[in-house]
């Protein structure tokens, strides 16, 4: 079954293909911050209409963007394997086809693993990216064809590792924001959270120089949306939204703030949070 790495995770934005008028589901994922810490996205199979409630969580895809290189690592959950992997790493949300049109067809992605023999782990390593505008960053689409293991023959196949250093992604012509709009999107939208760490409640504070609708979303480490609050903000005024997270404490969470002109993401940790062994 078709699978894509997608929301919500802790990347700056997950964009469903259907939002951009394609006729198939899947997500393209925006990353702006270079870090040694990997972004971990859930791998969803059969999530038609980008509805994860209709799909199955079959594994995860870890994306590391650091020192101007990108690593993409698939890890399938026990009981699942993969027979195809296609990855697109680019400066824009989507790749272009032979005729210059934008496309989401996996065959047009810039990294194709070919046929895979029911493997559980696939790694694409050391893909160089240059001339990246830090405000817009890079976009990654991770596609797979997965199946559920029902026989011994489908299990214990060697992992596959692909060296991506031979293909350079050059973002030198990257366009900021909507070319039909003179307002650019801000991918590191500023806001603050307090207290840190939190105990039951978190305050999200923000102040912008424009009127906007604001959506504040809270995700768990598996990328599931657990709370969303929407409000209207008047420019120039200090804004604070108080979130009641008492029902989901004792864990690490991600808070995402979305305005008409930008997106920001921060990690918050409960005061009694403990890493699992």
């Amino acid at each position: 079954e078709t699978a894509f790495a997608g929301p919500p995770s802790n990347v700056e934005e997950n964009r469903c293909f259907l939002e951009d008028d394609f006729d198939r589901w899947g997500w393209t994922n925006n990353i702006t911050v270079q870090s040694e810490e990997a972004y971990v996205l859930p791998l969803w199979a059969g999530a038609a209409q980008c509805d994860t409630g209709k799909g199955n969580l079959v594994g995860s895809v870890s994306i590391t963007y650091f020192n101007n290189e990108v690593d993409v690592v698939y890890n399938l959950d026990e009981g699942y394997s993969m027979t195809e992997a296609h990855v697109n790493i680019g400066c824009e949300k989507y790749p272009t086809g032979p005729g210059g049109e934008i496309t989401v067809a996996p065959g047009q992605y810039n990294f194709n693993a070919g046929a895979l023999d029911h493997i559980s782990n696939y790694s694409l390593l050391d893909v160089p990216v240059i001339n990246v505008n830090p405000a817009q960053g890079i976009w990654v689409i991770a596609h797979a064809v997965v199946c559920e293991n029902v026989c011994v023959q489908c299990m214990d196949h060697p992992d596959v590792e692909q060296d991506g250093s031979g293909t350079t992604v050059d973002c030198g012509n990257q366009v900021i924001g909507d070319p039909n709009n003179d307002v650019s999107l801000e991918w590191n939208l500023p806001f603050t959270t307090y207290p840190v760490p939190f105990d039951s409640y978190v305050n999200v504070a923000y102040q912008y120089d424009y009127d906007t609708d604001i959506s504040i979303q809270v995700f768990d480490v598996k990328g599931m949306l657990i709370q969303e609050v929407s409000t209207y903000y008047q420019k120039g005024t200090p804004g604070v939204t108080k979130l009641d997270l008492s029902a989901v404490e004792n864990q690490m969470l991600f808070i995402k703030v979305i305005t008409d002109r930008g997106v920001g993401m921060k990690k918050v940790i409960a005061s009694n949070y403990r890493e699992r062994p």
Side-chain angles (χ1 to χ4, degrees):
E1 192 157 12
T2 293
F4 283 94
S9 78
N10 59 333
V11 301
E12 279 66 21
E13 180 185 8
N14 308 102
R15 182 80 174 179
C16 176
F17 299 164
L18 299 173
E19 294 180 73
D20 292 314
D21 298 325
F22 293 104
D23 60 0
R24 65 173 71 190
W25 71 275
W27 297 275
T28 181
N29 306 281
N30 181 231
I31 298 175
T32 62
V33 179
Q34 296 204 45
S35 172
E36 293 183 87
E37 183 177 350
Y39 292 86
V40 181
L41 287 73
L43 184 64
W44 296 100
Q49 307 301 311
C50 293
D51 183 352
T52 56
K54 298 178 181 178
N56 294 312
L57 183 61
V58 297
S60 64
V61 176
S62 299
I63 303 173
T64 305
Y65 173 38
F66 186 63
N67 281 343
N68 298 314
E69 290 186 338
V70 179
D71 296 337
V72 181
V73 179
Y74 291 70
N75 292 288
L76 275 291
D77 289 342
E78 184 176 358
Y80 296 96
S81 59
M82 56 193 299
T83 58
E84 295 181 31
H86 302 85
V87 179
N88 194 79
I89 301 172
C91 317
E92 307 297 337
K93 287 185 292 185
Y94 304 109
T96 56
E101 74 286 355
I102 61 171
T103 179
V104 293
Q108 301 300 320
Y109 297 177
N110 50 6
F111 296 96
N112 185 341
L116 302 172
D117 188 14
H118 295 277
I119 64 171
S120 298
N121 302 92
Y122 164 72
S123 301
L124 171 65
L125 303 177
D126 303 327
V127 178
V129 290
I130 60 174
N131 298 321
V132 178
N133 188 305
Q136 189 166 347
I138 61 171
W139 293 83
V140 180
I141 305 175
H143 165 265
V145 175
V146 303
C147 58
E148 186 174 3
N149 297 334
V150 294
C151 59
V152 175
Q153 291 92 327
C154 295
M155 307 171 79
D156 297 327
H157 288 268
D159 299 341
V160 172
E161 184 175 296
Q162 181 180 358
D163 181 5
S165 61
T167 301
T168 298
V169 178
D170 187 350
C171 294
N173 295 320
Q174 196 173 50
V175 177
I176 301 298
D178 183 349
N180 298 316
N181 191 326
D182 60 2
V183 176
S184 297
L185 292 178
E186 185 172 2
W187 296 109
N188 291 307
L189 187 73
F191 67 93
T192 58
T193 58
Y194 63 91
V196 179
F198 73 90
D199 182 8
S200 300
Y201 294 90
V202 171
N203 295 290
V204 181
Y206 41 85
Q207 185 166 350
Y208 307 117
D209 60 358
Y210 52 91
D211 296 335
T212 180
D213 292 317
I214 290 183
S215 175
I216 300 175
Q217 301 172 338
V218 182
F219 304 102
D220 65 15
V221 292
K222 294 182 179 179
M224 300 300 294
L225 178 65
I226 59 176
Q227 189 175 139
E228 182 172 14
V229 178
S230 297
T231 186
Y232 181 77
Y233 171 78
Q234 186 175 355
K235 67 178 181 180
T237 60
V240 178
T241 299
K242 187 175 184 178
L243 303 176
D244 181 357
L245 300 178
S246 57
V248 291
E249 61 182 2
N250 193 29
Q251 63 175 285
M252 180 172 65
L253 302 170
F254 297 92
I255 295 181
K256 186 175 187 178
V257 176
I258 305 170
T259 73
D260 294 342
R261 299 190 189 178
V263 180
M265 179 87 75
K266 288 185 184 293
K267 181 191 300 181
V268 295
I269 299 177
S271 58
N272 59 345
Y273 173 75
R274 297 291 185 274
E275 291 281 359
R276 293 185 178 181

